[in-house]
């Protein structure tokens, strides 16, 4: 079925159309220039901007798919988690669209949509349908600006959290370090690009030691932490300001050393989970899944172990960050088994997707 997906949980105003798991269109209008002067997303400005852009973005997605409004057979929208004001814009646009055309409507979770992105194929890129489609169960690595979750996925909507961050999200750490150093906004892509010219061995930033076998209470074996790394990197700032291009003190070296440690933190927890669970497939999702160093390290891990390593699946780069196609894809899956959301569905700032709640 032709499903329109709408995504306005943060600063991307996005819509896409999916049919039978194939992405027919994906339009992402980024508000980056709008928020750049503030070096961070301003919620009030984000929701107002979504209000102004949403009609054009949805029209663009339909046009790119070669469809008219009457061809849409279902509407999916992100209802949580995210910035409330921003979520409400997409949610109400989606409800109005579905009501006006008398077609099914479904509200989905943003993190489940990120995890679903790797199941979609982009024919425009030459991806064969289902070429790298992961089989359940698999280990999920959800890494975005707001969340960092290592989970076990038994189905598209049956996901258990194994570990999460106890402080900052992975993308948030990239963004904050970049903000302190003035590397660019948003920080993830800026650091990724800068780090390619740097030596990741210049600084040995600390890795957190979180795991102590519990006597009682929860086991934090797969949790991660980024606040210590962030502080250690920021502590170099004064030296950097005094001698910004001294040997071994170049921006690219700091970026590369930080990025290496940030990825190492993720991999330690993730690979521990691989060994403990015995799961043979890792599926990544979220904005940080676009990181070239993370992709290379995981690909290296998969290729190692004499070919006996787990399969690692990343969404195409276009579907790592927030987009409407992943929402349409997950929505199509839900709608086709008969799920419907009521018209009084609300938005929530919190994640609603997982079996185990995390802090
Ligand atoms: O999934 P996403 O688009 O939005 C949220 O759900 O938060 O993720 C955005 C995050 C930002 O923190 C951004 O800096 C980070 O993803 N990001 C990256 C890269 N591209 C985006 N982080 C590291 N390397 C990248 N190439
Ligand atoms: Zn996201």
């Amino acid at each position: 079925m032709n499903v329109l997906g709408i995504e306005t949980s943060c600063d991307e105003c996005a819509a896409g159309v999916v049919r039978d798991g194939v992405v027919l269109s994906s339009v992402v209008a980024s508000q980056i220039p709008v928020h750049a002067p503030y070096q961070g997303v301003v919620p009030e400005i984000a929701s107002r901007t979504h209000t102004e852009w949403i009609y054009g973005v949805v029209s663009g997605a339909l046009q790119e798919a070669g469809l008219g409004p009457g061809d849409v057979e279902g509407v999916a929208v992100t209802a949580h988690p995210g910035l409330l004001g921003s979520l409400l814009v997409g949610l109400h646009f989606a409800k109005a669209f579905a009501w006006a055309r008398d077609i099914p409507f479904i509200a989905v979770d943003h993190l489940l949509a990120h995890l679903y992105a790797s199941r979609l194929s982009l024919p425009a890129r030459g991806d064969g349908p289902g070429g790298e489609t992961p089989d359940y169960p698999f280990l999920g690595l959800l890494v975005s600006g707001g969340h960092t979750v290592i989970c076990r996925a038994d189905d598209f909507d049956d996901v258990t959290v194994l570990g999460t961050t106890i402080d900052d999200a992975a993308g948030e750490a990239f963004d904050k370090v970049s903000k302190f150093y003035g590397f660019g906004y948003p920080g993830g892509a800026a650091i990724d690009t800068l780090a390619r010219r740097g030596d990741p061995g210049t600084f040995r930033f600390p890795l957190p030691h979180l795991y102590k076998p519990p006597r009682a209470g929860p086991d934090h074996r797969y949790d991660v932490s980024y606040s210590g790394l962030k502080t250690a990197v920021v502590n170099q700032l004064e030296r950097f300001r005094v001698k910004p291009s001294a040997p071994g003190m170049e921006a690219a070296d700091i970026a590369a050393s930080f990025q290496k440690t940030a990825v190492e933190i993720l991999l330690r927890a993730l690979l521990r989970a691989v060994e403990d669970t015995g799961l043979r497939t890792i599926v990544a999702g979220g904005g940080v899944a676009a990181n070239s160093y993370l992709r290379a390290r995981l690909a290296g891990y998969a290729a190692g172990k004499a070919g006996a390593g787990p399969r690692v699946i990343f969404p195409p780069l276009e579907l790592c960050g927030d987009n409407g196609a992943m929402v349409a894809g997950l929505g199509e899956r839900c709608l086709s088994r008969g799920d419907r959301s009521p018209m009084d569905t609300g938005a929530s700032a919190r994640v609603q997707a997982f079996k185990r709640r995390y802090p």
Side-chain angles (χ1 to χ4, degrees), residues 9 110 114 144 286-287 321-322 326:
S9 67
H110 183 75
H114 271 308
S144 71
D322 293 348
M326 68 181 188

Side-chain angles (χ1 to χ4, degrees), residues 7 9-10 110-111 114 143-147 286-287 320-323 326:
E7 160 60 49
S9 67
C10 192
H110 183 75
L111 293 182
H114 271 308
V143 273
S144 71
H147 300 90
C320 286
D322 293 348
N323 66 87
M326 68 181 188

Side-chain angles (χ1 to χ4, degrees), residues 304-323:
K305 299 204 161 200
R311 201 157 70 110
V312 179
I313 299 177
F314 282 93
L317 282 178
E318 300 91 310
L319 300 184
C320 286
D322 293 348
N323 66 87

Side-chain angles (χ1 to χ4, degrees), residues 77 118 245:
V77 64
S118 61
S245 51

